[in-house]
Amino acid sequence: MNKLTKLVKDWVPTLLIAIVLSLLIRSYVAEAMSVPTESMVPTIQVGDRLIVEKMLWATSLKHGDIVVFHPPVEGETKLYVKRLIGLPGDVVQIKDGALYRNGDKVDEPYLSVKMDYTFGPVTVPEDHYFFLGDNRNISFDAHMWDTPFVAKDKLIGKVVLEIPVHKLRR
């Protein structure tokens, strides 16, 4: 057996297993993504990298989680990254520059600017979620969509790690 044949026999199965595992992990477990817009500033900057855990069946979402999803915007093919504001059954309202959930004012220390609009109140339907960007006044999010709720089957995953690329460039 020549060296090339031995090399192929030794490495091809290992490479095939690595490729298949990589595709499975990326499709069903976790994936790295980058942020293309300013909608999550100051929390996440343009170009920052995110690790998104896709096993939503194994975790529970809670208020404040940052989630990646397909938006309920006709013709939109890009994924969105926003903060989870409303769970099924929550009543969400924005008034006087503040967010209210179920009648209680929500403390949002991650915002740098007060909201300059009013919205709601709306009740989040069963199997749906309500998302807003942290850069609320410029974010194209639930307060601007015709349908402000994201169906559960449109969720991709929860952000579990942010890699601030903008800080590495300095």
Side-chain angles (χ1 to χ4, degrees):
M1 181 179 324
N2 70 29
K3 286 185 177 185
L4 181 58
T5 304
K6 182 175 177 359
L7 185 68
V8 168
K9 281 186 175 183
D10 287 347
W11 284 101
V12 166
T14 302
L15 290 174
L16 286 175
I17 290 170
I19 290 169
V20 168
L21 282 175
S22 173
L23 291 172
L24 287 173
I25 289 170
R26 184 172 181 210
S27 296
Y28 300 107
V29 179
E31 181 176 356
M33 299 178 175
S34 66
V35 178
T37 71
E38 295 181 341
S39 72
M40 287 299 291
V41 169
T43 307
I44 301 171
Q45 303 294 320
V46 174
D48 283 359
R49 303 288 292 171
L50 308 174
I51 303 296
V52 179
E53 181 235 323
K54 293 183 169 185
M55 298 186 306
L56 291 174
W57 54 269
T59 188
S60 61
L61 294 175
K62 61 186 184 312
H63 296 120
D65 284 343
I66 298 176
V67 179
V68 176
F69 56 90
H70 293 282
V73 177
E74 192 171 326
E76 182 62 86
T77 57
K78 293 182 291 189
L79 296 176
Y80 280 34
V81 178
K82 307 284 182 205
R83 189 172 299 275
L84 177 56
I85 300 299
L87 295 168
D90 283 343
V91 176
V92 177
Q93 183 175 20
I94 298 166
K95 64 180 181 181
D96 303 324
L99 171 68
Y100 291 82
R101 183 172 42 237
N102 302 322
D104 298 324
K105 187 175 180 180
V106 178
D107 180 35
E108 296 186 287
Y110 42 80
L111 297 183
S112 60
V113 178
K114 290 174 77 169
M115 291 164 278
D116 63 5
Y117 58 88
T118 59
F119 179 85
V122 296
T123 301
V124 183
E126 186 176 334
D127 291 327
H128 286 75
Y129 298 88
F130 185 89
F131 294 96
L132 294 173
D134 287 358
N135 196 354
R136 301 275 165 84
N137 295 326
I138 69 155
S139 180
F140 184 58
D141 56 26
H143 86 279
M144 296 180 79
W145 302 333
D146 291 338
T147 303
F149 310 111
V150 177
K152 185 177 188 175
D153 65 353
K154 298 296 184 186
L155 303 181
I156 300 299
K158 180 167 72 170
V159 174
V160 293
L161 180 66
E162 177 201 350
I163 303 163
V165 175
H166 71 279
K167 290 182 181 177
L168 300 175
R169 292 186 203 141
R170 291 180 187 176

